[in-house]
Amino acid sequence: MPTSYYPHPIIAREGWPFIAGAFALALLVHLFAGWLWALPVWLIALFVLQFFRDPPRVIPVLAGAVLAPADGRIVAVSAKGALMLPAPARFQSYDHQARAGSCE
């Protein structure tokens, strides 16, 4: 049975300063230049609001379930995993001593 555990607000906290700035700018342009000039800025402010939305998600409680990040879709899951490099490959590092091995 899917669950929906959602302890935080519908707008991501990280976006609050950007949203406030966008709406403040739109309001200032509206007050000083008129609604016609402010219309594009209001549309940008609405886009910023929509960008930082964080809607509740239904989380399935299935063994081995994989959740898609950021409203995306997982199209393939494979066992390839981490990047495998041949043993003699070298990484450029600060001490120039790092050697790559197989990731297991």
Side-chain angles (χ1 to χ4, degrees), residues 12-78:
R13 289 188 184 116
E14 299 82 11
W16 291 354
F18 298 101
I19 294 167
F23 275 87
L25 179 64
L27 183 61
L28 287 173
V29 172
H30 192 112
L31 291 175
F32 292 109
W35 71 270
L36 191 57
W37 288 97
L39 185 61
V41 186
W42 281 114
L43 292 175
I44 291 170
L46 288 175
F47 171 77
V48 171
L49 178 66
Q50 185 273 336
F51 183 81
F52 285 107
R53 68 182 171 72
D54 193 11
R57 288 164 174 66
V58 176
I59 302 170
V61 285
L62 301 171
V66 179
L67 295 177
D71 295 334
R73 282 193 316 161
I74 297 173
V75 293
V77 176
S78 67

Side-chain angles (χ1 to χ4, degrees), residues 56-104:
R57 288 164 174 66
V58 176
I59 302 170
V61 285
L62 301 171
V66 179
L67 295 177
D71 295 334
R73 282 193 316 161
I74 297 173
V75 293
V77 176
S78 67
K80 292 181 182 176
L83 175 66
M84 302 295 247
L85 297 174
R90 287 181 167 253
F91 288 109
Q92 190 73 19
S93 66
Y94 293 113
D95 61 2
H96 301 288
Q97 299 295 324
R99 272 182 102 57
S102 64
C103 300
E104 297 178 338

